[in-house]
Amino acid sequence: MRGLGELESAIMERMWAYRRPATVRDVLEDLRRDREIAYTTVMTVMDKLFKKGLLKRQPMGKAYVYETVGSKEAYTAQLMRETLASSGNQAATLVHFLERLTPEEARALEAALRVFPVRDRP
Amino acid sequence: MVVPLILTLYGVAAAVLLPRLLARGTWADRAPRLAITVWLASCVSCVAAVVLAGLAVAVPASMVGHGLAHLFEVCAAMLADVTAMSSMDARLALLVSAALTVRLAYCAAVVLLRARRERRQHADMLALLGRHDGDLGAVVLTYDEPVAYCLPGRRGTTVITTGALRALSRPEAAAVLAHERAHLRGRHHLPLAATDAMARAFPRVPLFDRARSEVARLVELLADDVAARRHPRLHLAAALVRLATGRPPAFALGAGGGTAITRLRRLLAPESPLSRHERWAGMAVVAALLAGPAAVAAWPGVSAFLAQHCLEVHDCVDTGLFH
């Protein structure tokens, strides 16, 4: 299973880098530059990515042309929004270094650091 | 009927008064690990007292007194034929105990399963979006916002954004990641899940509400203490401020952050930890909280058992067996 996850990530990485639609064959040839891999394996994983909603596809001849649904940046932004939103009520999912602060609180922190460090500097 | 009454009164008192009592003073900030244990023990103690009160009504002491084998017989008879139970009261009490137990178990299952599902989804996306940095020992996400967090679970992951890496110096980032790893290694998500489950199961009970927020605060202090063993406190403190102040206003809305001020104060001017005396006192409190309700519930049975056996010995002595 670990290998499959790694392959998913490798394929998405390439799809995001292309910035254009690509077929299973395109991705396969790209992947074959640094590993031995079967056409069916790549096809299966890309089908899985389609079902997960990460790729969209259109039939072209006998095969599909795949394209990413959103940019990597958009997915990252969404993941981070979810992460930051879950801080209060779902403490069990993630543990944050810092909860969200109001600007006044942030300023108070800064002021506190300015007062203290001289006496405690190691 | 005295025992169920004592247990119920204790349960109610614990639910209302314990949170006020425990929140007093600064002892918790000086010993976060002990404080987390005390809060958890208080919650368990409160629930146990009320559940045991119901059982104590349903199972009269006189039955317990005839020894363990007899107690099992009584329980088996009760299960086999519910109508055989002595009174309406007993049935009602047993029902309350069972309902509380089932409710708590259900909420715990919901909290744990949801957390696991969310963590798995998050880990899946992280595998696609992040890149593991061997030097940092963390997953790095390309994102401008300075964020650091950890994803607990069997394969715990620490995550840091490129925004945070830009905002922090290398040693500061190392201190932040040590803090996150302390959460993972200490399995801090478990006490968080436990208090969350209790607060969900029994909403608006002061003890459980307070326990949830306090434990969430205390695990941060504890992780700071663990990180500070290997990293200069000043680095952690500076990181705290950088991550707090580097955020654009959109992310600075929402819940307050009193904890951040406490953490900064503790990092820069650490108070002495509890003395050995105070520590032992704390452990004694934990023991009393956990054993208290069970001891009270078992007392009539034990005393009846002892009385009976002493009586037997007495009889034996009377009939001359021991001469």
Side-chain angles (χ1 to χ4, degrees), chain A residues 39-92:
Chain A
Y39 181 87
T40 47
T41 311
V42 178
M43 191 177 71
T44 310
V45 173
M46 286 181 77
D47 186 57
K48 203 172 152 207
L49 289 167
F50 164 73
K51 282 180 183 142
K52 277 187 179 179
L54 287 158
L55 293 177
K56 56 188 176 189
R57 67 187 182 190
Q58 276 183 328
M60 194 182 74
K62 273 191 260 176
Y64 286 110
V65 187
Y66 287 87
E67 202 178 347
T68 55
V69 170
S71 67
K72 190 175 184 180
E73 292 71 30
Y75 278 112
T76 307
Q78 194 195 338
L79 188 71
M80 287 295 95
R81 265 200 303 279
E82 286 167 8
T83 304
L84 293 168
S86 72
S87 59
N89 45 0
Q90 282 149 356

Side-chain angles (χ1 to χ4, degrees), chain B residues 192-210:
Chain B
L192 289 174
T195 47
D196 195 27
M198 283 199 249
R200 266 166 211 267
F202 312 115
R204 281 191 291 280
V205 176
L207 175 63
F208 302 137
D209 279 347
R210 195 64 198 256

Side-chain angles (χ1 to χ4, degrees), chain B residues 70-119:
Chain B
H70 187 72
L71 176 65
F72 284 134
E73 272 171 41
V74 172
C75 289
M78 278 179 168
L79 285 174
D81 182 10
V82 181
T83 51
M85 260 196 293
S86 51
S87 68
M88 194 65 193
D89 289 354
R91 256 175 279 171
L92 199 68
L94 211 56
L95 201 67
V96 170
S97 287
L100 291 177
T101 312
V102 169
R103 168 114 186 111
L104 185 58
Y106 171 77
C107 287
V110 166
V111 165
L112 288 175
L113 290 178
R114 180 190 298 162
R116 206 171 66 164
R117 194 186 60 229
E118 283 179 8
R119 282 204 294 264

Side-chain angles (χ1 to χ4, degrees), chain A residues 83-84 93 95 97 100-101 120, chain B residues 118 150 152 251-252 255 263 268:
Chain A
T83 304
L84 293 168
T93 312
V95 191
F97 183 71
R100 288 189 264 168
L101 301 178
D120 257 296
Chain B
E118 283 179 8
C150 66
F251 280 95
R263 284 174 63 189
L268 295 174

